Amino acid sequence: RDLGPGSYVVEVDNYGTTVFVSNSDIDGLVLNMLPDVSLVGRVSIEEFELSMIKVLDRIRVRLIPADRSTRLAQNSPQSESMNSDGTFEIHNVGPGQYQVIVCMALGSNPSSCARSTPDFYLKEPRFHHTDVLNAPLQVTGAPATPLDIVLSWKPGRIQGVVINEQQESVAGVRIVLIPDQNRDRVGLYQFAETDRAGRFSIRGI
């Protein structure tokens, strides 16, 4: 009741659809809910054998809703511990469009996932033989093909120092690296904080 004109997100169980209200009532709105599915995939490392990667068990694949209006924590399904052959499975994936990111599980909380990956970066994810690095991954039902992910163990690094107007180093400053293009790709954002000498280092670029 009493809705002003505009765009709204109607959510059911953390999944939503966009509704536009103009100058008339909306009657008979039907929300078709599809069951969650499981998505399987495999990770490979460019020019490396998986057996050489000591942090393989900490690597996680996470799906972030592509629609910012429905980007909720509960709506970001994540893989569990990676198998030794690089295969993984993501449970409870609802219908929708997702960005694919690769992150590192935190030792204190395996269900959490830090986007900082200092030794590698996501080079190529393919789903249904389609590149889903710069386009969303579309889930409409039980996937028939796996999500294939290629990581590169040759990332870039930026080091620097933050100084003030008096040319003095500044500690405790947060540094954010944001891509000039594809700013909607949250997996490309990198963060760092200056130490006591004002120095910072950003790895895994």
Side-chain angles (χ1 to χ4, degrees), residues 15 20 25 31 34 42 47 53 55 65 77 86 124 130 133 139 160 169 174 178-179 197 199:
Y15 295 99
F20 295 94
D25 293 340
L31 301 179
L34 299 176
R42 184 178 184 276
E47 300 181 10
I53 309 304
V55 297
E124 181 183 23
T130 301
L133 185 65
V139 176
S169 59
R174 194 182 199 200
I178 301 175
R199 297 185 298 259

Side-chain angles (χ1 to χ4, degrees), residues 34 82 123 126-127 160:
L34 299 176
M82 199 79 58
K123 182 175 182 178
R126 301 191 73 84
F127 186 62

Side-chain angles (χ1 to χ4, degrees), residues 26-39:
I26 296 178
D27 295 317
L29 176 65
V30 177
L31 301 179
N32 294 315
M33 302 300 296
L34 299 176
D36 292 348
V37 299
S38 293
L39 189 152

Side-chain angles (χ1 to χ4, degrees), residues 53-178:
I53 309 304
K54 296 181 180 180
V55 297
L56 182 64
D57 62 328
R58 293 182 55 207
I59 296 176
R60 300 289 186 270
V61 179
R62 174 173 280 187
L63 303 179
I64 304 293
D67 184 356
R68 292 178 181 270
S69 63
T70 58
R71 190 168 292 170
L72 304 177
Q74 306 96 313
N75 213 10
S76 300
Q78 173 182 309
S79 66
E80 299 176 353
S81 181
M82 199 79 58
N83 297 318
S84 60
D85 62 353
T87 56
F88 63 88
E89 190 168 1
I90 305 177
H91 301 290
N92 303 318
V93 181
Q97 294 185 333
Y98 296 90
Q99 291 184 26
V100 179
I101 68 170
V102 175
C103 49
M104 299 285 286
L106 301 176
S108 59
N109 185 3
S111 63
S112 64
C113 200
R115 285 208 303 259
S116 176
T117 56
D119 298 317
F120 65 85
Y121 69 93
L122 174 60
K123 182 175 182 178
E124 181 183 23
R126 301 191 73 84
F127 186 62
H128 289 314
H129 308 292
T130 301
D131 173 33
V132 290
L133 185 65
N134 297 304
L137 183 155
Q138 179 75 47
V139 176
T140 56
T145 58
L147 171 61
D148 292 316
I149 290 180
V150 178
L151 304 179
S152 174
W153 222 256
K154 298 178 181 179
R157 180 176 63 178
I158 293 177
Q159 292 179 312
V161 61
V162 175
I163 58 176
N164 58 22
E165 294 179 350
Q166 289 73 39
Q167 303 300 303
E168 300 169 334
S169 59
V170 183
V173 174
R174 194 182 199 200
I175 309 298
V176 185
L177 183 68
I178 301 175

